[in-house]
Amino acid sequence: MTQIKVHYQQALSLINTSEIGLFDSETKLHRQKLYEGTGAGSDFLGWIDLPDNTGSGLLERIEDDASIIREESDAVVVIGIGGSYLGARAVIEALSGPLHAAPGPEVLYAGHHLDEEYHHDLLSYLENKEYSVIVISKSGTTTEPAVAFRLIRRQLEEKYGQQKAARRIFAITDARRGALKQLATEQGYASYVIPDDVGGRYSVLTPVGLLPVAAAGVDIRGLLSGARDMAAHLREHHDVFENPAALYAVLRNLLYKKGRTTEILASYTPSLFFFTEWWKQLFGESEGKQGKGIFPAGVSFTTDLHSMGQFIQEGTKNSFETVLTLKKNRKTLTIPEDKDNLDGLNYLTGKRLGFVNEMAARGTMLAHVDGHVPNLEIELPELNAYHLGSLIYFFEMACALSGYMLGVNPFDQPGVEAYKRNMFALLGKPGFEEEAAKLRQRLNS
Ligand code: PA5
């Protein structure tokens, strides 16, 4: 029995239970395509069995390297972008607490954008730190992480000398191809392979996510165990009402068909901010193609109730919300009595802050439903490695099913290349001369 629940009572103004049931045979068909590898993108289905296929040898190696990083370094810089960055950050930020008070190295990120000031300041910050680097790129050629790695490697080599620096670099890349693979082999970096059949945004449970997460001190076995139990549950349950991933995929597609083209993932804990970013990439890059797709947006409540709340309540009616709730908080805090009660809050005396947050969530849900924004809810027992692992696998499977329902290949991202070609041309990369001339003309016109 999975402990993650999908509730849809607050969406019944727009959809009804019998409509969900009508999707039963369609979801079975899509599930079959995924498990038998007969659908679009079937070369990228390695994520389905990852929780079961990750052997103890690999886990021990990851844990050993993570211990070395933790012993030798005050900071670890994780270099990567997109699927080679967001999963690790999502898990680390969700599990190490909002103020990152967990013991172990500080985790810093690079190569997830090209901002000059950020990378300049990062290099200055690192100057007086003992640090290690985890560089992640499946293709091994992505510009953002490649540039960041060149900059950081130079500093690391100047600081420690080439040989010692090489022992502080951990590369995660393709088994055979790409510049990073070549560099790692030539320089003798400790290396991990991203399986051929796992795409970037489905790779958090490979070394791409596991090494940075272990270096940050998170229990990777717990993460995988949650994913494994969710995988088994989803495989065993065919009925759409018993299979939460299928149910969520159906619900969002039903809402999409009724004009709800934006999905807003809402949570009430800032620790989930980067989990929402991971979710946005997973669904955005998987579904947004051929002129179709649900636009994945994210909000962090109650913070964003004071910014986006107005729009959700009274703005354009093209969205639905999916609220991620936690049944239990990790930490407790009780509101004290104040004898003067000048702030008028004594009616909350003795109440948990978590209770106040929960009432804000319930009140918001009903208000948004009254504002004609249907609400789905995904309920998690609590935020720990096990349940987060389950949630990751749940969303991966839901995304794959949802993509098939939409009629797209959820495992490719052809549209990402367009900006790269223009950027290469404008940067003067050899081979792009003709395009460069045309682009310059357009920019100057
Ligand atoms: O999900 C994806 O495939 C992408 O987001 C990639 O992860 C991202 O573009 C980074 O690619 P790479 O790992 O090849 O550097």
mmCIF file of all heavy atoms in Angstrom, residues 319-360:
data_model
loop_
_atom_site.group_PDB
_atom_site.id
_atom_site.type_symbol
_atom_site.label_atom_id
_atom_site.label_comp_id
_atom_site.label_asym_id
_atom_site.label_seq_id
_atom_site.Cartn_x
_atom_site.Cartn_y
_atom_site.Cartn_z
ATOM 1 N N SER A 319 -6.057 27.797 -15.185
ATOM 2 C CA SER A 319 -5.130 26.962 -14.418
ATOM 3 C C SER A 319 -5.848 26.060 -13.422
ATOM 4 O O SER A 319 -7.021 26.248 -13.111
ATOM 5 C CB SER A 319 -4.133 27.849 -13.670
ATOM 6 O OG SER A 319 -4.816 28.669 -12.758
ATOM 7 N N PHE A 320 -5.108 25.073 -12.956
ATOM 8 C CA PHE A 320 -5.530 24.304 -11.784
ATOM 9 C C PHE A 320 -4.315 24.195 -10.869
ATOM 10 O O PHE A 320 -3.182 24.381 -11.315
ATOM 11 C CB PHE A 320 -6.088 22.929 -12.154
ATOM 12 C CG PHE A 320 -5.099 21.981 -12.791
ATOM 13 C CD1 PHE A 320 -4.445 21.021 -12.037
ATOM 14 C CD2 PHE A 320 -4.843 22.029 -14.155
ATOM 15 C CE1 PHE A 320 -3.544 20.127 -12.620
ATOM 16 C CE2 PHE A 320 -3.934 21.140 -14.755
ATOM 17 C CZ PHE A 320 -3.285 20.195 -13.980
ATOM 18 N N GLU A 321 -4.587 23.929 -9.598
ATOM 19 C CA GLU A 321 -3.483 23.798 -8.642
ATOM 20 C C GLU A 321 -3.339 22.348 -8.201
ATOM 21 O O GLU A 321 -4.331 21.636 -8.053
ATOM 22 C CB GLU A 321 -3.774 24.625 -7.383
ATOM 23 C CG GLU A 321 -3.435 26.086 -7.510
ATOM 24 C CD GLU A 321 -3.839 26.842 -6.259
ATOM 25 O OE1 GLU A 321 -5.043 26.860 -5.931
ATOM 26 O OE2 GLU A 321 -2.961 27.412 -5.616
ATOM 27 N N THR A 322 -2.100 21.957 -7.967
ATOM 28 C CA THR A 322 -1.819 20.671 -7.330
ATOM 29 C C THR A 322 -1.043 20.999 -6.061
ATOM 30 O O THR A 322 0.057 21.553 -6.128
ATOM 31 C CB THR A 322 -0.997 19.767 -8.261
ATOM 32 O OG1 THR A 322 -1.777 19.514 -9.436
ATOM 33 C CG2 THR A 322 -0.657 18.442 -7.590
ATOM 34 N N VAL A 323 -1.656 20.709 -4.940
ATOM 35 C CA VAL A 323 -1.052 21.100 -3.663
ATOM 36 C C VAL A 323 -0.348 19.893 -3.047
ATOM 37 O O VAL A 323 -0.946 18.828 -2.879
ATOM 38 C CB VAL A 323 -2.131 21.648 -2.695
ATOM 39 C CG1 VAL A 323 -1.474 22.214 -1.439
ATOM 40 C CG2 VAL A 323 -2.970 22.716 -3.373
ATOM 41 N N LEU A 324 0.927 20.099 -2.747
ATOM 42 C CA LEU A 324 1.731 19.045 -2.131
ATOM 43 C C LEU A 324 1.653 19.245 -0.621
ATOM 44 O O LEU A 324 2.108 20.270 -0.113
ATOM 45 C CB LEU A 324 3.171 19.257 -2.614
ATOM 46 C CG LEU A 324 4.111 18.083 -2.794
ATOM 47 C CD1 LEU A 324 3.467 16.959 -3.562
ATOM 48 C CD2 LEU A 324 5.369 18.559 -3.526
ATOM 49 N N THR A 325 1.029 18.299 0.086
ATOM 50 C CA THR A 325 0.887 18.498 1.540
ATOM 51 C C THR A 325 1.642 17.415 2.321
ATOM 52 O O THR A 325 1.844 16.305 1.822
ATOM 53 C CB THR A 325 -0.594 18.474 1.971
ATOM 54 O OG1 THR A 325 -1.170 17.224 1.586
ATOM 55 C CG2 THR A 325 -1.379 19.611 1.346
ATOM 56 N N LEU A 326 2.043 17.781 3.532
ATOM 57 C CA LEU A 326 2.753 16.848 4.415
ATOM 58 C C LEU A 326 1.861 16.544 5.601
ATOM 59 O O LEU A 326 1.363 17.470 6.251
ATOM 60 C CB LEU A 326 4.048 17.488 4.928
ATOM 61 C CG LEU A 326 5.023 17.977 3.871
ATOM 62 C CD1 LEU A 326 6.167 18.756 4.515
ATOM 63 C CD2 LEU A 326 5.570 16.794 3.082
ATOM 64 N N LYS A 327 1.653 15.262 5.861
ATOM 65 C CA LYS A 327 0.775 14.891 6.971
ATOM 66 C C LYS A 327 1.427 15.217 8.314
ATOM 67 O O LYS A 327 0.760 15.540 9.280
ATOM 68 C CB LYS A 327 0.468 13.398 6.880
ATOM 69 C CG LYS A 327 -0.855 13.049 7.479
ATOM 70 C CD LYS A 327 -1.549 11.912 6.796
ATOM 71 C CE LYS A 327 -2.821 11.534 7.538
ATOM 72 N NZ LYS A 327 -3.748 12.635 7.695
ATOM 73 N N LYS A 328 2.753 15.110 8.348
ATOM 74 C CA LYS A 328 3.460 15.326 9.614
ATOM 75 C C LYS A 328 4.678 16.201 9.384
ATOM 76 O O LYS A 328 5.383 16.012 8.391
ATOM 77 C CB LYS A 328 3.898 13.950 10.126
ATOM 78 C CG LYS A 328 4.311 13.908 11.544
ATOM 79 C CD LYS A 328 4.478 12.459 12.001
ATOM 80 C CE LYS A 328 5.665 12.386 12.944
ATOM 81 N NZ LYS A 328 6.513 11.249 12.716
ATOM 82 N N ASN A 329 4.922 17.138 10.283
ATOM 83 C CA ASN A 329 6.127 17.964 10.176
ATOM 84 C C ASN A 329 7.300 17.306 10.893
ATOM 85 O O ASN A 329 7.109 16.558 11.845
ATOM 86 C CB ASN A 329 5.879 19.343 10.799
ATOM 87 C CG ASN A 329 4.998 20.196 9.911
ATOM 88 O OD1 ASN A 329 4.866 19.926 8.720
ATOM 89 N ND2 ASN A 329 4.383 21.206 10.480
ATOM 90 N N ARG A 330 8.506 17.647 10.452
ATOM 91 C CA ARG A 330 9.698 17.082 11.093
ATOM 92 C C ARG A 330 9.974 17.722 12.445
ATOM 93 O O ARG A 330 10.498 17.118 13.343
ATOM 94 C CB ARG A 330 10.925 17.324 10.203
ATOM 95 C CG ARG A 330 10.997 16.418 9.007
ATOM 96 C CD ARG A 330 12.235 16.688 8.212
ATOM 97 N NE ARG A 330 12.144 17.951 7.468
ATOM 98 C CZ ARG A 330 12.826 18.213 6.370
ATOM 99 N NH1 ARG A 330 13.667 17.327 5.911
ATOM 100 N NH2 ARG A 330 12.702 19.367 5.739
ATOM 101 N N LYS A 331 9.653 18.996 12.548
ATOM 102 C CA LYS A 331 9.989 19.748 13.774
ATOM 103 C C LYS A 331 8.724 20.422 14.297
ATOM 104 O O LYS A 331 7.823 20.748 13.523
ATOM 105 C CB LYS A 331 11.022 20.830 13.443
ATOM 106 C CG LYS A 331 12.224 20.318 12.653
ATOM 107 C CD LYS A 331 13.510 20.431 13.404
ATOM 108 C CE LYS A 331 14.643 19.677 12.763
ATOM 109 N NZ LYS A 331 15.410 20.388 11.779
ATOM 110 N N THR A 332 8.692 20.648 15.604
ATOM 111 C CA THR A 332 7.492 21.263 16.170
ATOM 112 C C THR A 332 7.821 22.594 16.857
ATOM 113 O O THR A 332 8.930 22.775 17.362
ATOM 114 C CB THR A 332 6.834 20.329 17.216
ATOM 115 O OG1 THR A 332 7.753 20.136 18.273
ATOM 116 C CG2 THR A 332 6.438 19.000 16.617
ATOM 117 N N LEU A 333 6.833 23.458 16.851
ATOM 118 C CA LEU A 333 6.977 24.779 17.477
ATOM 119 C C LEU A 333 5.584 25.216 17.941
ATOM 120 O O LEU A 333 4.646 25.206 17.138
ATOM 121 C CB LEU A 333 7.505 25.755 16.423
ATOM 122 C CG LEU A 333 8.288 26.979 16.855
ATOM 123 C CD1 LEU A 333 9.493 26.581 17.714
ATOM 124 C CD2 LEU A 333 8.771 27.734 15.620
ATOM 125 N N THR A 334 5.503 25.553 19.232
ATOM 126 C CA THR A 334 4.189 25.931 19.772
ATOM 127 C C THR A 334 4.155 27.439 20.024
ATOM 128 O O THR A 334 5.122 28.018 20.523
ATOM 129 C CB THR A 334 3.940 25.157 21.092
ATOM 130 O OG1 THR A 334 4.063 23.771 20.788
ATOM 131 C CG2 THR A 334 2.549 25.417 21.641
ATOM 132 N N ILE A 335 3.039 28.043 19.706
ATOM 133 C CA ILE A 335 2.924 29.503 19.857
ATOM 134 C C ILE A 335 2.706 29.852 21.337
ATOM 135 O O ILE A 335 1.789 29.321 21.968
ATOM 136 C CB ILE A 335 1.794 30.036 18.957
ATOM 137 C CG1 ILE A 335 2.187 29.739 17.504
ATOM 138 C CG2 ILE A 335 1.542 31.523 19.185
ATOM 139 C CD1 ILE A 335 1.179 30.036 16.483
ATOM 140 N N PRO A 336 3.583 30.702 21.876
ATOM 141 C CA PRO A 336 3.482 30.992 23.320
ATOM 142 C C PRO A 336 2.393 32.017 23.646
ATOM 143 O O PRO A 336 1.957 32.758 22.772
ATOM 144 C CB PRO A 336 4.867 31.583 23.629
ATOM 145 C CG PRO A 336 5.320 32.199 22.357
ATOM 146 C CD PRO A 336 4.691 31.430 21.235
ATOM 147 N N GLU A 337 2.012 32.030 24.924
ATOM 148 C CA GLU A 337 1.048 33.040 25.370
ATOM 149 C C GLU A 337 1.786 34.371 25.590
ATOM 150 O O GLU A 337 2.978 34.382 25.902
ATOM 151 C CB GLU A 337 0.405 32.596 26.683
ATOM 152 C CG GLU A 337 -0.691 33.554 27.063
ATOM 153 C CD GLU A 337 -1.469 33.139 28.287
ATOM 154 O OE1 GLU A 337 -1.197 32.071 28.849
ATOM 155 O OE2 GLU A 337 -2.347 33.939 28.660
ATOM 156 N N ASP A 338 1.110 35.482 25.382
ATOM 157 C CA ASP A 338 1.698 36.787 25.662
ATOM 158 C C ASP A 338 0.694 37.543 26.532
ATOM 159 O O ASP A 338 -0.454 37.736 26.115
ATOM 160 C CB ASP A 338 1.949 37.523 24.336
ATOM 161 C CG ASP A 338 2.682 38.823 24.545
ATOM 162 O OD1 ASP A 338 2.104 39.731 25.196
ATOM 163 O OD2 ASP A 338 3.819 38.942 24.071
ATOM 164 N N LYS A 339 1.123 37.907 27.721
ATOM 165 C CA LYS A 339 0.102 38.429 28.659
ATOM 166 C C LYS A 339 -0.529 39.735 28.168
ATOM 167 O O LYS A 339 -1.685 40.004 28.420
ATOM 168 C CB LYS A 339 0.642 38.535 30.089
ATOM 169 C CG LYS A 339 1.620 39.632 30.378
ATOM 170 C CD LYS A 339 1.944 39.622 31.868
ATOM 171 C CE LYS A 339 3.049 40.582 32.248
ATOM 172 N NZ LYS A 339 3.285 41.756 31.453
ATOM 173 N N ASP A 340 0.227 40.529 27.422
ATOM 174 C CA ASP A 340 -0.349 41.794 26.923
ATOM 175 C C ASP A 340 -1.214 41.586 25.676
ATOM 176 O O ASP A 340 -2.106 42.376 25.388
ATOM 177 C CB ASP A 340 0.772 42.789 26.605
ATOM 178 C CG ASP A 340 1.572 43.120 27.857
ATOM 179 O OD1 ASP A 340 0.958 43.125 28.943
ATOM 180 O OD2 ASP A 340 2.794 43.321 27.750
ATOM 181 N N ASN A 341 -0.927 40.583 24.926
ATOM 182 C CA ASN A 341 -1.685 40.238 23.706
ATOM 183 C C ASN A 341 -1.871 41.424 22.760
ATOM 184 O O ASN A 341 -2.917 41.587 22.128
ATOM 185 C CB ASN A 341 -3.057 39.647 24.100
ATOM 186 C CG ASN A 341 -3.725 38.934 22.920
ATOM 187 O OD1 ASN A 341 -3.054 38.417 22.017
ATOM 188 N ND2 ASN A 341 -5.055 38.925 22.904
ATOM 189 N N LEU A 342 -0.845 42.275 22.678
ATOM 190 C CA LEU A 342 -0.974 43.445 21.807
ATOM 191 C C LEU A 342 -1.109 43.045 20.332
ATOM 192 O O LEU A 342 -1.704 43.766 19.528
ATOM 193 C CB LEU A 342 0.235 44.377 21.990
ATOM 194 C CG LEU A 342 0.288 45.101 23.347
ATOM 195 C CD1 LEU A 342 1.543 45.942 23.449
ATOM 196 C CD2 LEU A 342 -0.953 45.969 23.548
ATOM 197 N N ASP A 343 -0.535 41.910 19.971
ATOM 198 C CA ASP A 343 -0.655 41.454 18.578
ATOM 199 C C ASP A 343 -1.957 40.694 18.324
ATOM 200 O O ASP A 343 -2.232 40.254 17.207
ATOM 201 C CB ASP A 343 0.554 40.584 18.184
ATOM 202 C CG ASP A 343 0.801 39.437 19.152
ATOM 203 O OD1 ASP A 343 -0.100 39.159 19.973
ATOM 204 O OD2 ASP A 343 1.873 38.812 19.075
ATOM 205 N N GLY A 344 -2.760 40.520 19.397
ATOM 206 C CA GLY A 344 -4.058 39.865 19.237
ATOM 207 C C GLY A 344 -3.967 38.390 18.867
ATOM 208 O O GLY A 344 -4.917 37.817 18.329
ATOM 209 N N LEU A 345 -2.847 37.772 19.182
ATOM 210 C CA LEU A 345 -2.656 36.382 18.739
ATOM 211 C C LEU A 345 -2.892 35.351 19.836
ATOM 212 O O LEU A 345 -2.621 34.167 19.628
ATOM 213 C CB LEU A 345 -1.231 36.208 18.175
ATOM 214 C CG LEU A 345 -0.940 36.855 16.819
ATOM 215 C CD1 LEU A 345 0.515 36.639 16.434
ATOM 216 C CD2 LEU A 345 -1.851 36.277 15.740
ATOM 217 N N ASN A 346 -3.409 35.789 20.977
ATOM 218 C CA ASN A 346 -3.573 34.810 22.060
ATOM 219 C C ASN A 346 -4.569 33.703 21.723
ATOM 220 O O ASN A 346 -4.553 32.653 22.337
ATOM 221 C CB ASN A 346 -3.979 35.512 23.366
ATOM 222 C CG ASN A 346 -2.734 35.900 24.176
ATOM 223 O OD1 ASN A 346 -1.612 35.585 23.764
ATOM 224 N ND2 ASN A 346 -2.918 36.578 25.294
ATOM 225 N N TYR A 347 -5.410 33.935 20.727
ATOM 226 C CA TYR A 347 -6.324 32.855 20.328
ATOM 227 C C TYR A 347 -5.562 31.663 19.725
ATOM 228 O O TYR A 347 -6.096 30.575 19.576
ATOM 229 C CB TYR A 347 -7.402 33.377 19.365
ATOM 230 C CG TYR A 347 -6.957 33.613 17.944
ATOM 231 C CD1 TYR A 347 -7.273 32.698 16.943
ATOM 232 C CD2 TYR A 347 -6.215 34.739 17.590
ATOM 233 C CE1 TYR A 347 -6.860 32.901 15.626
ATOM 234 C CE2 TYR A 347 -5.801 34.954 16.307
ATOM 235 C CZ TYR A 347 -6.121 34.028 15.327
ATOM 236 O OH TYR A 347 -5.714 34.229 14.024
ATOM 237 N N LEU A 348 -4.275 31.900 19.434
ATOM 238 C CA LEU A 348 -3.448 30.809 18.894
ATOM 239 C C LEU A 348 -2.538 30.189 19.964
ATOM 240 O O LEU A 348 -1.793 29.254 19.667
ATOM 241 C CB LEU A 348 -2.580 31.332 17.750
ATOM 242 C CG LEU A 348 -3.323 31.779 16.480
ATOM 243 C CD1 LEU A 348 -2.334 32.350 15.471
ATOM 244 C CD2 LEU A 348 -4.083 30.608 15.863
ATOM 245 N N THR A 349 -2.602 30.702 21.177
ATOM 246 C CA THR A 349 -1.719 30.203 22.229
ATOM 247 C C THR A 349 -1.839 28.683 22.367
ATOM 248 O O THR A 349 -2.944 28.141 22.391
ATOM 249 C CB THR A 349 -2.076 30.863 23.588
ATOM 250 O OG1 THR A 349 -1.853 32.255 23.456
ATOM 251 C CG2 THR A 349 -1.213 30.302 24.714
ATOM 252 N N GLY A 350 -0.683 28.039 22.418
ATOM 253 C CA GLY A 350 -0.675 26.577 22.590
ATOM 254 C C GLY A 350 -0.848 25.821 21.287
ATOM 255 O O GLY A 350 -0.736 24.591 21.241
ATOM 256 N N LYS A 351 -1.129 26.522 20.209
ATOM 257 C CA LYS A 351 -1.312 25.846 18.912
ATOM 258 C C LYS A 351 0.044 25.691 18.232
ATOM 259 O O LYS A 351 0.916 26.544 18.350
ATOM 260 C CB LYS A 351 -2.227 26.662 17.995
ATOM 261 C CG LYS A 351 -3.622 26.903 18.546
ATOM 262 C CD LYS A 351 -4.573 25.916 17.931
ATOM 263 C CE LYS A 351 -6.047 26.111 18.234
ATOM 264 N NZ LYS A 351 -6.497 26.770 19.401
ATOM 265 N N ARG A 352 0.187 24.609 17.498
ATOM 266 C CA ARG A 352 1.416 24.396 16.728
ATOM 267 C C ARG A 352 1.433 25.306 15.500
ATOM 268 O O ARG A 352 0.389 25.562 14.869
ATOM 269 C CB ARG A 352 1.477 22.938 16.260
ATOM 270 C CG ARG A 352 1.668 21.922 17.394
ATOM 271 C CD ARG A 352 3.099 21.450 17.438
ATOM 272 N NE ARG A 352 3.600 21.057 16.132
ATOM 273 C CZ ARG A 352 3.495 19.827 15.633
ATOM 274 N NH1 ARG A 352 2.913 18.875 16.345
ATOM 275 N NH2 ARG A 352 3.982 19.546 14.451
ATOM 276 N N LEU A 353 2.648 25.771 15.140
ATOM 277 C CA LEU A 353 2.771 26.580 13.926
ATOM 278 C C LEU A 353 2.346 25.747 12.702
ATOM 279 O O LEU A 353 1.758 26.268 11.752
ATOM 280 C CB LEU A 353 4.214 27.091 13.783
ATOM 281 C CG LEU A 353 4.480 28.082 12.662
ATOM 282 C CD1 LEU A 353 3.548 29.284 12.731
ATOM 283 C CD2 LEU A 353 5.932 28.568 12.698
ATOM 284 N N GLY A 354 2.635 24.455 12.766
ATOM 285 C CA GLY A 354 2.224 23.549 11.683
ATOM 286 C C GLY A 354 0.707 23.539 11.500
ATOM 287 O O GLY A 354 0.208 23.442 10.374
ATOM 288 N N PHE A 355 -0.024 23.655 12.614
ATOM 289 C CA PHE A 355 -1.486 23.691 12.545
ATOM 290 C C PHE A 355 -1.946 24.977 11.847
ATOM 291 O O PHE A 355 -2.831 24.962 10.989
ATOM 292 C CB PHE A 355 -2.060 23.593 13.967
ATOM 293 C CG PHE A 355 -3.539 23.837 14.042
ATOM 294 C CD1 PHE A 355 -4.444 22.857 13.642
ATOM 295 C CD2 PHE A 355 -4.033 25.053 14.502
ATOM 296 C CE1 PHE A 355 -5.817 23.097 13.698
ATOM 297 C CE2 PHE A 355 -5.392 25.301 14.559
ATOM 298 C CZ PHE A 355 -6.291 24.318 14.152
ATOM 299 N N VAL A 356 -1.279 26.080 12.187
ATOM 300 C CA VAL A 356 -1.626 27.364 11.560
ATOM 301 C C VAL A 356 -1.381 27.266 10.049
ATOM 302 O O VAL A 356 -2.216 27.666 9.229
ATOM 303 C CB VAL A 356 -0.785 28.518 12.173
ATOM 304 C CG1 VAL A 356 -1.116 29.847 11.504
ATOM 305 C CG2 VAL A 356 -1.021 28.606 13.680
ATOM 306 N N ASN A 357 -0.244 26.671 9.690
ATOM 307 C CA ASN A 357 0.093 26.510 8.261
ATOM 308 C C ASN A 357 -0.935 25.624 7.562
ATOM 309 O O ASN A 357 -1.368 25.905 6.437
ATOM 310 C CB ASN A 357 1.502 25.888 8.149
ATOM 311 C CG ASN A 357 2.192 26.195 6.831
ATOM 312 O OD1 ASN A 357 1.815 27.127 6.113
ATOM 313 N ND2 ASN A 357 3.196 25.406 6.498
ATOM 314 N N GLU A 358 -1.357 24.570 8.271
ATOM 315 C CA GLU A 358 -2.328 23.655 7.668
ATOM 316 C C GLU A 358 -3.677 24.335 7.451
ATOM 317 O O GLU A 358 -4.324 24.157 6.408
ATOM 318 C CB GLU A 358 -2.499 22.425 8.565
ATOM 319 C CG GLU A 358 -3.231 21.302 7.851
ATOM 320 C CD GLU A 358 -3.586 20.160 8.781
ATOM 321 O OE1 GLU A 358 -2.873 19.947 9.784
ATOM 322 O OE2 GLU A 358 -4.609 19.495 8.493
ATOM 323 N N MET A 359 -4.083 25.143 8.411
ATOM 324 C CA MET A 359 -5.361 25.854 8.260
ATOM 325 C C MET A 359 -5.269 26.876 7.119
ATOM 326 O O MET A 359 -6.235 27.102 6.389
ATOM 327 C CB MET A 359 -5.768 26.540 9.577
ATOM 328 C CG MET A 359 -6.144 25.566 10.673
ATOM 329 S SD MET A 359 -7.382 24.324 10.149
ATOM 330 C CE MET A 359 -6.411 22.854 10.030
ATOM 331 N N ALA A 360 -4.069 27.469 6.983
ATOM 332 C CA ALA A 360 -3.871 28.393 5.851
ATOM 333 C C ALA A 360 -4.036 27.613 4.543
ATOM 334 O O ALA A 360 -4.685 28.083 3.596
ATOM 335 C CB ALA A 360 -2.480 29.016 5.921
#
